[in-house]
Amino acid sequence: MAELHVELVAADRQVWSGEASLVVARTSSGDIGVMPGHQPLLGVLQSGPVTIRTTGESGDGTVVAAVHGGFISFADNKLSLLAEVAELSDEIDVQRAERALERAKSDADAAAERRADVRLRAVTGVH
């Protein structure tokens, strides 16, 4: 099976690295799916869940991360997701994210509401 190497990096750390058969991310042009052999690309990441279909040593599975801003780059079967902020779904405290969403709604803070919503969607798998 063809694979692509994926690096998901936040400003403060490497979030995930490994082999994948498909990565779906939200860009300023809309959602994009990248598979091995995709045309080279460079895009701006929007806040949204990133879904990585894993392969290789870690086995077939799915990794989901909440990503907030940054860039996506693909060339030579290497995909780089350079995010301002990124969290794997299993790192997200659901109750804290729900409280943040309610607080953002009551404060009418659209940006904070979007961040909290993306975190919850990454955990629940609702895209």
Side-chain angles (χ1 to χ4, degrees), residues 9-124:
V9 180
D12 60 344
R13 68 187 176 115
Q14 180 174 345
V15 179
W16 189 86
S17 176
E19 305 306 310
S21 60
L22 171 68
V23 176
V24 178
R26 177 154 297 149
T27 70
S28 56
S29 301
D31 287 354
I32 186 169
V34 178
M35 297 175 70
H38 195 284
Q39 292 294 317
L41 74 91
L42 179 62
V44 176
L45 287 172
Q46 298 294 311
S47 290
V50 168
T51 303
I52 304 167
R53 301 271 185 233
T54 63
T55 62
E57 291 179 20
S58 60
D60 293 341
T62 302
V63 172
V64 179
V67 173
H68 308 282
F71 298 93
I72 183 171
S73 170
F74 181 77
D76 300 323
N77 277 338
K78 293 180 184 151
L79 180 70
S80 297
L81 299 147
L82 309 171
E84 293 172 23
V85 176
E87 304 173 84
L88 295 175
S89 61
D90 60 1
E91 298 173 338
I92 297 170
D93 180 331
V94 175
Q95 293 173 339
R96 184 173 166 228
E98 288 171 342
R99 287 192 305 270
L101 180 60
E102 292 306 313
R103 196 170 41 254
K105 285 180 179 179
S106 67
D107 294 345
D109 184 342
E113 185 175 341
R114 174 78 178 146
R115 285 190 303 273
D117 180 62
V118 166
R119 294 175 77 222
L120 288 170
R121 287 189 295 133
V123 171
T124 62

